[in-house]
Amino acid sequence: MLSRVAEAVFWMSRYLERADNVARFIDVNEHLTLDLQGAVAEQWAPLVYTTGDHEPYFQHYGELTRSNVLQFLTFDARNANSILGCVQRARENARAIREIISSEMWEQINRFYLLMRDASRAPACDHVRRIVEDVKLHSHLIQGVLDTTMSHGEAWHFANIGRLVERADKTSRILDVKYYILLPHTRDVGTPLDIVQWSALLKSASALEMYRKSKGRILPAKVAEFLILDRDFPRSMRYCLVHAEESLHEITGTPAGSFGNRAEQQLGRMRAAMDFTSIDDVVQQGLHEFIDRFQTELNAAGEAVHDVFFARPELPLAS
């Protein structure tokens, strides 16, 4: 497969996953607002910091208000990672590889973009619940179409890697913000407020029902364990690493448990570390420190994928 095509598939999938996760971030705050009913002041800073786009936000808006944050995260063209921005770039990548993806896939992505474009004509705060539900629904639809209308060959595996790398990153960011910003005082740990916030976090990852079935009561360490180390939940960081690594080996043909390039080495090392990590280890070294290290290593893995599969050799200068 041409590196240009592989890169377009990879980023199409990452942008779609990123749009879905931004909607889920917004969903966290909406659930908190409803569940707490004014018990605490609304908090909008975590949403901006979670995405890592706080610098452009403060450059363009300054004040943290509900309407500003929602507009910035959903439709602001100056924010490259807004929902509309992500869907638009996913569509551009999909257009470039229409001969690779199925016609149903292209139609679904195009329909998603047109829906978001039309929705952006009204302020986001006027219909945020509808936006969040539409993004989550179309993300699920596109994933279903991708899995059922495309052969699970190289293109599908590149899409799978892009989706899972992005998802692992965003799951870690949700956990990080909860731990440091939403609950800054240790005396609040274990209080009803703490439990409500962890429940909202699980809801944002569509994980609340699966968590209750496997773990029962909402306990911070158990929630962190579920979202970081669970073997079977598709949004856990470990699950994402395991299956991204599998797709990588399917593309290269390198046997599992070994590596033939830097991308396989980096992802394999991270997956192996997860296999031999317990939640006690995570707590002992500090959740934030663990997540910070994870994100640094995941960024390195993403760069390695780019260098190994997408980087084009520079042409010699004409004499």
Side-chain angles (χ1 to χ4, degrees), residues 246-267:
E246 286 178 358
S247 279
L248 205 53
H249 284 288
E250 287 292 331
I251 292 169
T252 62
T254 306
S258 61
F259 65 89
N261 57 59
R262 193 161 64 85
E264 290 173 339
Q265 182 186 29
Q266 182 68 20
L267 272 179

Side-chain angles (χ1 to χ4, degrees), residues 36-99:
L36 296 175
Q37 293 291 325
V40 296
E42 292 182 0
Q43 300 185 58
W44 298 104
L47 271 71
V48 177
Y49 282 101
T50 298
T51 61
D53 293 321
H54 46 283
E55 289 185 8
Y57 177 86
F58 288 113
Q59 180 184 348
H60 296 302
Y61 289 93
E63 189 180 5
L64 285 160
T65 65
R66 180 175 188 269
S67 60
N68 284 350
V69 171
L70 292 178
Q71 192 66 25
F72 178 73
L73 293 179
T74 53
F75 301 137
D76 195 328
R78 297 168 299 184
N79 177 14
N81 293 320
S82 69
I83 291 174
L84 181 59
C86 289
V87 176
Q88 185 172 13
R89 285 191 285 173
R91 179 174 178 260
E92 289 167 0
N93 279 285
R95 186 198 298 277
I97 51 170
R98 285 189 62 175
E99 76 281 8

Side-chain angles (χ1 to χ4, degrees), residues 39 45 58 72 106 121-122 131 141 161 179 198 258 286 299 314:
F58 288 113
F72 178 73
W106 163 249
R121 290 170 181 154
I131 296 168
L141 281 172
I161 295 169
Y179 195 77
W198 282 108
S258 61
N299 287 338
E314 294 184 6

Side-chain angles (χ1 to χ4, degrees), residues 180-212:
Y180 259 94
I181 300 180
L182 288 177
L183 197 68
H185 304 297
T186 54
R187 65 175 178 271
D188 294 329
V189 173
T191 64
L193 170 63
D194 190 27
I195 301 304
V196 168
Q197 290 181 346
W198 282 108
S199 299
L201 186 148
L202 285 166
K203 285 179 187 175
S204 74
S206 299
L208 183 58
E209 290 182 32
M210 290 301 106
Y211 171 85
R212 286 198 179 282

Side-chain angles (χ1 to χ4, degrees), residues 266-267 269-270 273 290-303:
Q266 182 68 20
L267 272 179
R269 185 182 292 151
M270 293 180 71
F290 175 84
I291 288 174
D292 197 41
R293 191 176 304 113
F294 176 86
Q295 289 175 351
T296 300
E297 292 175 354
L298 193 64
N299 287 338
E303 291 171 3

Side-chain angles (χ1 to χ4, degrees), residues 128-318:
V128 62
R129 292 298 314 156
R130 179 63 181 272
I131 296 168
V132 167
E133 292 306 318
D134 281 344
V135 172
K136 290 164 67 175
L137 175 62
H138 279 77
S139 296
H140 288 156
L141 281 172
I142 291 171
Q143 185 57 47
V145 170
L146 174 70
D147 288 343
T148 55
T149 65
M150 282 185 64
S151 299
H152 289 200
E154 279 192 359
W156 184 90
H157 284 295
F158 274 116
N160 199 43
I161 295 169
R163 176 170 60 89
L164 293 173
V165 168
E166 182 71 26
R167 182 175 293 178
D169 176 73
K170 292 300 183 289
T171 298
S172 70
R173 289 177 185 273
I174 289 176
L175 274 168
D176 201 22
V177 167
K178 167 66 185 78
Y179 195 77
Y180 259 94
I181 300 180
L182 288 177
L183 197 68
H185 304 297
T186 54
R187 65 175 178 271
D188 294 329
V189 173
T191 64
L193 170 63
D194 190 27
I195 301 304
V196 168
Q197 290 181 346
W198 282 108
S199 299
L201 186 148
L202 285 166
K203 285 179 187 175
S204 74
S206 299
L208 183 58
E209 290 182 32
M210 290 301 106
Y211 171 85
R212 286 198 179 282
K213 286 178 181 176
S214 63
K215 307 290 185 184
R217 289 178 56 202
I218 303 287
L219 297 171
K222 292 290 184 184
V223 175
E225 181 182 33
F226 189 70
L227 292 178
I228 295 173
L229 298 173
D230 193 84
R231 290 175 177 273
D232 303 317
F233 185 65
R235 288 191 174 275
S236 82
M237 293 152 60
R238 181 185 189 180
Y239 180 97
C240 293
L241 289 181
V242 168
H243 291 273
E245 187 192 15
E246 286 178 358
S247 279
L248 205 53
H249 284 288
E250 287 292 331
I251 292 169
T252 62
T254 306
S258 61
F259 65 89
N261 57 59
R262 193 161 64 85
E264 290 173 339
Q265 182 186 29
Q266 182 68 20
L267 272 179
R269 185 182 292 151
M270 293 180 71
R271 190 265 310 152
M274 283 282 192
D275 287 345
F276 294 96
T277 296
S278 70
I279 193 60
D280 291 338
D281 298 330
V282 175
V283 171
Q284 190 172 17
Q285 62 184 288
L287 182 59
H288 173 73
E289 288 74 14
F290 175 84
I291 288 174
D292 197 41
R293 191 176 304 113
F294 176 86
Q295 289 175 351
T296 300
E297 292 175 354
L298 193 64
N299 287 338
E303 291 171 3
V305 170
H306 175 273
D307 293 343
V308 172
F309 297 103
F310 308 149
R312 265 85 71 181
E314 294 184 6
L315 295 175
L317 295 174

